[in-house]
Amino acid sequence: MKLMRLTEEEFDSFSKNHTGHSIYQTSHYGELMKKQGFDVFYVGFLNHQETLVGASLILSSPAFFSYQKAYIPLGVLTDYTNQDLVHDITMELRKFMIHHHIIFFKMNPPIICSKRDKEGKILSYHPEINHILNILEDASFQHLGFSNFFENEIARWHGLLNLHTSNERLFSQFSKPVRNKIRKADKLGIVVEKVEQEQLKVFYEFIKRKSPHSFSYYQHLFTSFGSKAELYLAKIDAFKYVQKSKEAYEQVNEENEKLQMKMQSATTRGKDMHRIIKRKMESDKILGMEQASLNRSTRMFQTNPEGIIIGGAIVIKEGNTVHLIIDGYNKKYAKFNSNYFLRWEMIQRFNREGFTYFDFGDMVGELKEKNKYSGLNDAKFGFGAILQEYLGEFLYVVNPAMFQVYSKKKRKKKDYFNL
């Protein structure tokens, strides 16, 4: 076995054809991390027949003094069921780390343990998980556990929607609350537009309080991923809002007038009259709400005829999958449900373009007990996502003495590897 440095082109060529391929094992991600101050290495592993049997992006950053720590995001791309291969690659990695004064490294292999539904029921399971765990432990890796939340550098649980059918059928499979929120957003005039990077500052205002990344990080993301990265904005289209409000008002008003006529009819008596009166009272209430909505939409059209941008999202297209990197919205306009409408518009778009999966991003594995992330899960399950569980993170200590020193030092800042 021999480790060799690869060019970006050589690495991407191997990565895109490997079953473990992900956005984290691309030169685009490497370029992004380089702009965040990490040292970036692309390495390959040649067997005795000079065949490339593995490759990896490696990131390193300062630990203390002249020592470094390293991370391999979504793991070395290789066959983890082959014990001899894993052992030989690990030995080459160890020599590489020693040469670069790296104390330890972590990695999370691109191994999917299971796929589960919203109840936690296992839909599919990797039959060789225990075998792979044993191989990695025999190679001196320490498994850092089957975490359920965000203990790892990159989340262990992801929500994935299979774009396996028509948009109409996908919509019918969403939960009732999600369908209602999408319909309401449409009624309130929400529209979605793909925009250029110049609008990034507008979008960043919606996410800056929840994102660990700076504005410059997202600027670098677009320059690093190029055309693979796309920005979408959701806005209240003032004209559409008025039109939809007017249509809704006229529809309810028409029904209300019919009920009024029935009440005045000489043939309506007894129980029928009681039923009509009840329906008329309900209709009056709805009509008042629709009138208020029409008034609000009219005022908005008068004051903001160009509309108001209230949300957005960044996605990255890689292979057959579209990854939702981050989305956000103006809390002032939360009742407009722009985040639901935005996701639905993107799902429809990418399904038409022929993508196979829409990755909603991070979720948590705790499904039985209510927790502060339950809402995060519910929103993504509501779109029909399944829960995809990765094997988790592994630690390899290269220099035990220095690792002990490092472990006693308080970490001053977190290295963010999660997009």
Side-chain angles (χ1 to χ4, degrees):
M1 179 69 66
K2 180 172 67 175
L3 181 149
M4 64 174 290
R5 297 288 290 271
L6 300 177
T7 65
E8 292 182 1
E9 292 75 18
E10 290 170 335
F11 173 71
D12 283 335
S13 176
F14 182 89
S15 175
K16 72 180 181 182
N17 293 308
H18 195 275
T19 55
H21 175 69
S22 74
I23 52 178
Y24 292 103
Q25 284 289 331
T26 63
S27 64
H28 304 292
Y29 183 67
E31 184 64 24
L32 174 61
M33 290 293 100
K34 189 184 298 181
K35 290 171 181 173
Q36 307 314 304
F38 293 92
D39 290 328
V40 177
F41 306 94
Y42 302 100
V43 300
F45 304 93
L46 294 174
N47 62 14
H48 296 302
Q49 288 77 42
E50 296 292 307
T51 300
L52 200 59
V53 292
S56 185
L57 161 66
I58 301 173
L59 307 172
S60 75
S61 60
F64 62 91
F65 300 136
S66 62
Y67 292 101
Q68 300 273 309
K69 58 185 185 294
Y71 192 66
I72 301 176
L74 277 194
V76 176
L77 300 174
T78 192
D79 179 6
Y80 286 89
T81 64
N82 186 323
Q83 184 162 10
D84 291 336
L85 179 59
V86 170
H87 176 272
D88 291 346
I89 285 177
T90 304
M91 290 302 99
E92 291 302 314
L93 277 174
R94 178 181 173 81
K95 287 188 281 187
F96 175 87
M97 301 294 177
I98 290 172
H99 178 73
H100 289 278
H101 306 288
I102 292 170
I103 301 169
F104 70 93
F105 68 94
K106 291 181 182 180
M107 73 170 184
N108 51 334
I111 308 296
I112 298 170
C113 291
S114 69
K115 295 183 179 181
R116 302 168 186 255
D117 65 15
K118 63 182 179 180
E119 307 298 332
K121 179 183 176 183
I122 295 177
L123 305 175
S124 63
Y125 187 79
H126 197 306
E128 296 188 275
I129 287 301
N130 290 331
H131 177 53
I132 292 170
L133 278 170
N134 289 333
I135 287 174
L136 287 167
E137 287 171 1
D138 286 345
S140 298
F141 282 95
Q142 302 172 40
H143 187 224
L144 299 181
F146 293 102
S147 61
N148 278 333
F149 295 98
F150 300 110
E151 297 88 342
N152 295 346
E153 299 287 351
I154 293 177
R156 205 171 73 83
W157 303 83
H158 263 232
L160 199 69
L161 175 64
N162 191 339
L163 306 176
H164 61 287
T165 185
S166 68
N167 285 330
E168 290 75 16
R169 181 146 180 83
L170 281 174
F171 186 80
S172 72
Q173 293 171 351
F174 295 168
S175 69
K176 185 176 179 181
V178 167
R179 295 198 305 270
N180 287 340
K181 287 176 179 178
I182 292 170
R183 292 187 184 110
K184 182 180 178 182
D186 181 52
K187 179 181 172 182
L188 294 175
I190 301 299
V191 296
V192 173
E193 298 174 349
K194 178 186 172 186
V195 298
E196 298 302 317
Q197 185 187 339
E198 287 71 25
Q199 297 256 40
L200 188 57
K201 188 164 285 189
V202 175
F203 168 68
Y204 187 70
E205 288 299 310
F206 305 133
I207 63 166
K208 65 181 181 182
R209 288 178 179 83
K210 74 172 184 177
S211 173
H213 302 302
S214 66
F215 175 68
S216 63
Y217 172 90
Y218 292 103
Q219 288 180 306
H220 293 154
L221 183 148
F222 275 90
T223 55
S224 299
F225 280 91
S227 62
K228 290 176 179 286
E230 295 182 349
L231 174 62
Y232 291 84
L233 293 180
K235 79 171 186 177
I236 305 170
D237 183 311
F239 182 75
K240 178 183 175 184
Y241 188 13
V242 170
Q243 289 296 104
K244 290 283 185 179
S245 297
K246 185 180 177 183
E247 289 171 9
Y249 173 80
E250 290 175 347
Q251 183 178 352
V252 174
N253 188 52
E254 183 180 350
E255 179 64 23
N256 191 273
E257 289 176 349
K258 289 179 181 178
L259 291 170
Q260 181 67 35
M261 291 174 64
K262 286 183 180 180
M263 285 176 59
Q264 295 172 347
S265 171
T267 59
T268 306
R269 299 173 183 172
K271 290 183 179 179
D272 283 345
M273 177 61 78
H274 179 74
R275 181 173 55 83
I276 295 298
I277 290 174
K278 185 178 179 181
R279 285 178 57 192
K280 179 67 167 60
M281 290 173 65
E282 292 173 353
S283 178
D284 287 343
K285 184 178 178 181
I286 296 171
L287 186 63
M289 294 168 60
E290 294 298 348
Q291 178 67 68
S293 177
L294 180 56
N295 292 341
R296 284 194 299 270
S297 65
T298 302
R299 286 195 299 271
M300 181 175 288
F301 183 73
Q302 291 169 343
T303 56
N304 299 95
E306 73 287 351
I308 303 173
I309 297 171
I310 62 171
I314 294 173
V315 299
I316 292 177
K317 303 184 294 185
E318 184 63 40
N320 63 358
T321 304
V322 177
H323 301 267
L324 176 60
I325 302 305
I326 190 167
D327 60 356
Y329 60 93
N330 187 334
K331 300 297 189 293
K332 179 181 175 182
Y333 298 97
K335 292 182 179 179
F336 282 76
N337 297 314
S338 64
N339 50 335
Y340 287 87
F341 192 80
L342 174 60
R343 290 177 177 186
W344 171 227
E345 286 293 294
M346 292 191 298
I347 287 169
Q348 292 182 88
R349 179 190 183 103
F350 296 124
N351 194 21
R352 287 193 295 266
E353 290 181 8
F355 286 91
T356 306
Y357 300 104
F358 187 87
D359 186 344
F360 283 98
D362 301 352
M363 294 180 69
V364 299
E366 177 53 71
L367 302 176
K368 295 179 181 178
E369 299 291 334
K370 278 286 181 183
N371 58 80
K372 66 179 181 179
Y373 300 109
S374 295
L376 171 73
N377 275 17
D378 292 343
K380 296 176 181 182
F381 279 134
F383 278 94
I386 59 168
L387 195 56
Q388 189 163 271
E389 175 193 11
Y390 283 92
L391 185 56
E393 211 161 67
F394 290 80
L395 169 69
Y396 190 99
V397 178
V398 181
N399 187 329
M402 288 299 102
F403 182 72
Q404 265 195 324
V405 176
Y406 173 82
S407 297
K408 291 177 182 177
K409 293 175 68 69
K410 185 178 180 180
R411 293 182 69 179
K412 293 183 178 179
K413 76 179 188 72
K414 182 176 175 62
D415 290 332
Y416 288 104
F417 296 100
N418 197 339
L419 280 167

